[in-house]
Each structure stands twice: as C-alpha cells, then as structure tokens.
C-alpha cells in the first residue's frame, strides 16, 4: 500500500535541527541542500516527527486518533 499523504513541512519555521531525522523510524527524512525532505516511499505516517519537532514545523495533515477506554484503576 502506498502512502498518499505526507507530513507537511513549514520551511520557514524549520531550523534544520535534525531532531525529526533522529526520531524517524524509517529514515524517511533527510536534509538535502539546506532543506528538509521526505521520502514518501519510506514514510510510514507514524507522526513521530511531529511529536519531537520543537518548532512545530512538521505535522501530519490529519491525525489518526486512537480512543482507549478510560477504565477505573
Ligand atoms: S525537528 Fe522540526 S525544526 Fe528540526 S529539522 Fe525537523 S522539522 Fe525542522
Ligand atoms: S511520519 Fe513517521 S515515518 Fe513519516 S517522516 Fe515522520 S517520523 Fe518518519
């Protein structure tokens, strides 16, 4: 199955700190010629990059929300 969505990058906000590259489990991110790039074939759309970015510069255009039961105890 091919991913048809990709994380969106705000290149004005991104300071190329590299934290998302380190967090990405599939090595889908790279910095090429001073720009953050995503390899869509590698991206599993996990959202880890969004979670770690200190600038809020990369985010998923939509979220997969997992609802868990809020059980007592
Ligand atoms: S973590 Fe955020 S600011 Fe750092 S390189 Fe990735 S997108 Fe850019
Ligand atoms: S969504 Fe996941 S797999 Fe895709 S670039 Fe971000 S960290 Fe990597």
């Amino acid at each position: 199955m091919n991913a048809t969505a990709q994380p969106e990058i705000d290149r004005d906000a991104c300071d190329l700190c590299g934290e998302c590259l380190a967090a990405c489990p599939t090595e889908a991110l790279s910095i090429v010629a001073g720009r953050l790039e995503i390899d869509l074939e590698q991206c599993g759309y996990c959202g880890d990059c969004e979670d770690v970015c200190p600038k809020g510069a990369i985010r998923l255009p939509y979220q997969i929300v997992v609802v868990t039961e809020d059980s007592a105890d």
Side-chain angles (χ1 to χ4, degrees):
M1 187 190 301
N2 289 332
T4 54
Q6 63 176 298
E8 293 176 343
I9 301 166
D10 180 345
R11 290 196 163 86
D12 291 330
C14 174
D15 65 2
L16 304 175
C17 70
E19 290 200 28
C20 57
L21 279 72
C24 179
T26 62
E27 300 184 355
L29 296 166
S30 56
I31 294 173
V32 180
R35 277 168 60 99
L36 181 64
E37 301 288 353
I38 300 175
D39 181 343
L40 282 185
E41 305 233 334
Q42 297 289 332
C43 176
Y45 213 70
C46 66
D48 286 359
C49 50
E50 180 180 30
D51 290 344
V52 301
C53 179
K55 300 287 186 178
I58 187 166
R59 62 188 184 84
L60 306 186
Y62 60 85
Q63 284 187 309
I64 298 168
V65 178
V66 178
V67 179
T68 56
E69 251 180 75
D70 191 21
S71 59
D73 299 313

